[in-house]
Amino acid sequence: MAPAQGQFSDHSDGVDGKDRAEEGPPVPPAFLAAVDALRSARLRPELEVEATRPPRRLAPHAYALEAAVVDGEDDLADGRLVLLHDPAGQDAWNGTFRLVTLVRAELEPEMAADPLLPEVCWSWLTGALEDRGLAYGEASGTVTRAGSHYFGALSTRRPATQIEIRASWTPREGRGGVPETASHLTAWGDLLCQIAGLPPSEPSDAAVVTLPQRRGPQVS
């Protein structure tokens, strides 16, 4: 199932009902519906998204995506989004679904020196969700700024600073206990494009501050 916008390839068999039944508990219909919604999300054309092998120990059911913001041959930012589902719920989630993310990008030196950068980056995440009108709870995470200086044979390279957002939140469940995962993925794509320094996709977002374009690291 391909999206109308963006580039989305699905090479994962992680939610196939027959395969998962052999490995663990049967896959709940609510989780299958949430994954189908992810696959149908409309994304910005700068995003390249593909399914990847999900973690197995965080919840009974999981589905994972990797994404990169691409400009020619350059990856400006990249990240990973994992959808977790535990039909019994987990106290820390306050729900049966949880979204977990890692987003990384390399910063220009003038932006890296901003002491308010971590707070700004966290507000980009919450703002992306709120701009899409999404209800969520139990949000938590970290924003990490790390610098690299090069020496010896690498001394010709410029110092580099990387920003990394690790976060999780509980999407509100709708009809049939299924959250609006397509909209959450779209909001997450907005965050990736914003941290990559791309302009907003909607005229109403013109006041949002963005980072200068740059080349970012690959998610391992």
Side-chain angles (χ1 to χ4, degrees), residues 87-122:
Q90 296 190 16
D91 291 341
W93 298 1
N94 194 24
T96 64
F97 282 90
R98 188 75 170 170
L99 286 161
V100 182
T101 188
L102 164 66
V103 173
R104 299 192 296 192
E106 189 172 304
L107 303 178
E108 295 291 342
E110 62 272 17
M111 293 298 298
D114 186 346
L116 296 179
L117 184 65
E119 288 82 1
V120 170
C121 288
W122 182 257

Side-chain angles (χ1 to χ4, degrees), residues 68-78 104-109 150 157-163 195-198 211-219:
V69 181
V70 178
D71 179 20
E73 297 182 355
D74 291 339
D75 290 354
L76 305 179
D78 48 37
R104 299 192 296 192
E106 189 172 304
L107 303 178
E108 295 291 342
Y150 301 95
R157 295 188 182 182
R158 294 176 55 192
T161 301
Q162 182 185 93
I163 196 75
I195 202 171
L198 298 185
L211 295 175
Q213 290 191 14
R214 57 202 164 270
R215 180 177 178 81
Q218 296 292 319
V219 172

Side-chain angles (χ1 to χ4, degrees), residues 22 51 175 194:
E22 296 173 354
R175 181 176 300 178
Q194 187 167 15

Side-chain angles (χ1 to χ4, degrees), residues 62-204:
Y63 185 77
L65 297 169
E66 289 182 342
V69 181
V70 178
D71 179 20
E73 297 182 355
D74 291 339
D75 290 354
L76 305 179
D78 48 37
R80 179 180 173 94
L81 182 69
V82 181
L83 174 68
L84 303 175
H85 179 53
D86 187 340
Q90 296 190 16
D91 291 341
W93 298 1
N94 194 24
T96 64
F97 282 90
R98 188 75 170 170
L99 286 161
V100 182
T101 188
L102 164 66
V103 173
R104 299 192 296 192
E106 189 172 304
L107 303 178
E108 295 291 342
E110 62 272 17
M111 293 298 298
D114 186 346
L116 296 179
L117 184 65
E119 288 82 1
V120 170
C121 288
W122 182 257
S123 72
W124 287 348
L125 169 62
T126 57
L129 297 171
E130 291 162 6
D131 286 346
R132 295 283 174 180
L134 294 169
Y136 64 95
E138 311 303 328
S140 63
T142 62
V143 177
T144 304
R145 176 170 41 190
S148 298
H149 294 263
Y150 301 95
F151 302 93
L154 301 178
S155 60
T156 57
R157 295 188 182 182
R158 294 176 55 192
T161 301
Q162 182 185 93
I163 196 75
E164 177 181 277
I165 303 173
R166 293 180 180 268
S168 62
W169 64 94
T170 299
R172 186 173 68 181
E173 298 169 17
R175 181 176 300 178
V178 182
E180 297 180 51
T181 49
S183 296
H184 281 269
L185 175 56
T186 303
W188 182 72
D190 294 340
L191 169 66
L192 265 177
C193 290
Q194 187 167 15
I195 202 171
L198 298 185
S201 59
E202 300 291 341
S204 61

